[in-house]
Amino acid sequence: RLYLCGGLLLTGAAAWYAGARGHLPLLAGLVILVSIGSAAFHPLGTALSGRIGAGRQGIIVALFLCCGYIGYSLSQVIYSGIWHRWNGDTTWIFLPAVAMAILLLFSPLPAPAAPPRPFGENLRTVPVVFRRLLPLFVVSVLTGAASMAVVFSFPEMMELRLYPAWLRLGGAHLLYVISAAVFMLPAGYLADRWDQARLLRWVQVV
């Protein structure tokens, strides 16, 4: 619970990116804090989602990821909107992180399925898991790189082609990412009912 709340608050440090303009060490420190927060929140949140309901992990994890992608799709629209509304003061973005951390602190969470294993035992399993899932990791890296390349090129692409301002200020990013969020739910549903390895191959082909 503390990891999740701390991860949310550290991720909320992105609210001060705009205030760090011209201060490279401060910006680097904020990036590190946000990265630590994301690393603390997302793996644990995904694991907790997968504990709910035997045989339904696909749709539940897909729902968790879908909500995250919806937030990600809105990120540029919200950030640019707050930037223009309050003349570059984006500290307001930190308030939802505080509210969600407080809510999470007092919300019930699924109990662990088994006692946590010692750190050394977990560490010894990493090479074995890595070898078995290496093809999946490679596919994940390649698809993530391709997707992020498109996302980060949107502002310049929209500006060069003289598209409306709302597309440059996050609209294109929203439309692109929200489509991935929508298709996660049927993919998660099918993952609970079909052979997952075969489904993964077909998804990559598509």
Side-chain angles (χ1 to χ4, degrees), residues 13-183:
W16 285 279
Y17 278 163
R21 288 175 297 171
H23 302 279
L24 188 57
L26 178 58
L27 181 59
L30 289 173
V31 170
I32 291 172
L33 289 178
V34 172
S35 300
I36 293 173
S38 180
F41 177 81
H42 286 95
L44 186 55
T46 305
L48 286 172
S49 300
R51 289 179 189 169
I52 303 174
R56 296 183 299 157
Q57 288 90 347
I59 186 62
I60 293 172
V61 172
L63 182 61
F64 174 77
L65 294 175
C66 176
C67 293
Y69 264 64
I70 291 173
Y72 177 45
S73 71
L74 294 169
S75 59
Q76 287 190 10
V77 173
I78 293 174
Y79 200 94
S80 61
I82 291 177
W83 171 278
H84 287 93
R85 174 64 178 81
W86 279 285
N87 298 318
D89 182 9
T90 56
T91 54
W92 298 96
I93 298 175
F94 189 65
L95 296 180
V98 174
M100 293 307 300
I102 294 173
L103 179 64
L104 191 58
L105 189 62
F106 297 101
S107 298
L109 295 177
R117 293 185 297 181
F119 177 75
E121 183 179 343
N122 284 332
L123 197 61
R124 286 192 295 272
T125 63
V126 170
V128 178
V129 173
F130 185 81
R131 285 195 299 269
R132 293 183 63 183
L133 297 180
L134 181 59
L136 183 60
F137 293 156
V138 171
V139 170
S140 180
V141 169
L142 294 177
T143 55
S147 177
M148 291 302 100
V150 173
V151 166
F152 288 119
S153 68
F154 273 141
E156 290 81 3
M157 187 188 306
M158 298 298 106
E159 187 172 3
L160 288 173
R161 299 194 177 190
L162 303 178
Y163 282 105
W166 71 272
L167 286 172
R168 299 197 307 271
L169 297 175
H173 175 266
L174 185 151
L175 295 175
Y176 180 74
V177 178
I178 202 73
S179 62
V182 170
F183 283 104

